């Protein structure tokens, strides 16, 4: 078991610079074009995975030269490169997984990525994502979120209803409520304090912080 893993996806980086504090022993898995992005962030890529239709030849060669493993998949496959990378990272049993992605690009890819990171198969890890300037936290049972008073945060149920949702430290509190996919009930809440607490009895939530104040 390892403490943490970072999964770097492809896509166009947003205008907000990303700074990662990656500790020693962190597993880094790059999904296709995410290889070049990971290298640009100064990360050592342990595994490069995908059909390699968007990674540069120089990037892939750099990974292999540094001792990383390249795992090639056919273009016609049943999972995205990001999902394959997440599966590879989760197989190492990390306590936490951070996905570095893009907030722009194809809408279907963005939506698919949000649904994939909340998939039940990754329930044993604490999963977060950086999508450009936005942050996403997968919440099962309970989580504490550090933020800024006035910062926006939306709570969205995925993969079914989220029952018994309660919050502390948000301007618009929830007390044992049910959020269902397709409702805007949890959209545009606001941090009232520097730390917010979210808990639920059953289901899974995405806490999406788009960046900026209300």
């Amino acid at each position: 078991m390892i403490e943490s893993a970072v999964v770097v996806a492809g896509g166009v980086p947003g205008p907000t610079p990303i700074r990662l504090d990656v500790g020693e022993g962190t597993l880094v898995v790059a999904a296709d074009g995410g290889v070049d992005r990971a290298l640009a962030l100064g990360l050592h890529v342990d595994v490069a995975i995908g059909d390699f239709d968007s990674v540069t030849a120089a990037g892939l060669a750099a990974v292999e030269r540094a001792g990383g493993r390249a795992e090639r998949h056919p273009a016609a496959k049943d999972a995205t490169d990001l999902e394959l990378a997440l599966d590879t990272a989760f197989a190492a049993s990390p306590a936490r997984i951070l996905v570095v992605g893009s907030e722009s690009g194809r809408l279907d890819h963005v939506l698919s990525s949000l649904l994939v990171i909340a998939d039940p198969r990754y329930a044993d890890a604490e999963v977060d994502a950086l999508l450009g300037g936005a942050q996403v936290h997968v919440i099962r049972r309970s989580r504490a979120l550090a933020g800024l008073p006035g910062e926006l945060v939306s709570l969205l149920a995925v993969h079914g209803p989220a029952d018994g949702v309660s919050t502390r430290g948000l301007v618009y509190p929830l007390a044992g409520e049910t959020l269902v996919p397709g409702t805007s009930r949890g959209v545009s809440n606001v941090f009232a304090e520097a730390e917010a607490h979210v808990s639920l009895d059953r289901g899974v939530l995405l806490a999406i912080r788009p960046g900026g104040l209300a």
Side-chain angles (χ1 to χ4, degrees):
M1 180 175 179
I2 60 174
E3 186 63 26
S4 61
V6 174
V7 173
V8 185
V12 180
T16 305
I18 292 177
R19 294 179 177 85
L20 297 179
D21 183 14
V22 177
E24 186 176 349
T26 298
L27 174 70
V28 177
V29 183
D32 209 317
V35 167
D36 295 293
R37 194 171 185 193
L39 295 175
L41 290 169
L43 301 178
H44 170 80
V45 177
D46 297 292
V47 184
I49 192 168
D51 54 28
F52 300 145
D53 64 343
S54 56
V55 65
T56 65
L60 199 57
V63 168
E64 294 180 311
R65 190 165 53 247
R69 185 177 89 247
E71 185 176 312
R72 186 181 297 273
H73 288 256
K77 55 188 184 298
D78 295 329
T80 63
D81 293 328
L82 174 60
E83 187 171 356
L84 293 172
L86 270 168
D87 286 343
T88 298
F90 188 72
S93 301
R96 295 187 299 274
I97 299 175
L98 173 65
V99 176
V100 179
S102 173
E103 63 188 352
S104 60
R106 281 177 48 179
L107 180 59
D108 53 343
H109 279 181
V110 175
L111 179 57
S112 172
S113 296
L114 291 173
L115 294 174
V116 164
I117 66 172
D119 191 275
R121 86 189 89 158
Y122 310 124
D124 288 339
E126 186 177 272
V127 182
D128 299 296
L130 291 176
L131 305 177
Q135 300 179 60
V136 183
H137 312 281
V138 180
I139 303 177
R140 307 177 193 274
R141 295 300 181 185
S142 66
R143 284 197 71 174
L145 306 176
L148 296 173
E151 182 185 353
L152 286 165
V153 59
S154 293
L155 301 177
L156 302 179
V158 291
H159 302 309
D163 298 322
V165 179
S166 297
T167 65
R168 287 187 290 113
L170 296 179
V171 171
Y172 309 109
L174 300 173
E177 299 190 33
T178 296
L179 298 180
V180 297
T183 180
S184 59
R185 176 73 177 88
V187 172
S188 294
N189 213 320
V190 182
F191 277 81
E193 304 172 9
E195 186 173 83
H197 294 261
V198 181
S199 64
L200 63 158
D201 296 332
R202 184 171 58 252
V204 59
L205 291 171
L206 291 179
I208 300 178
R209 298 159 62 181
L213 304 179

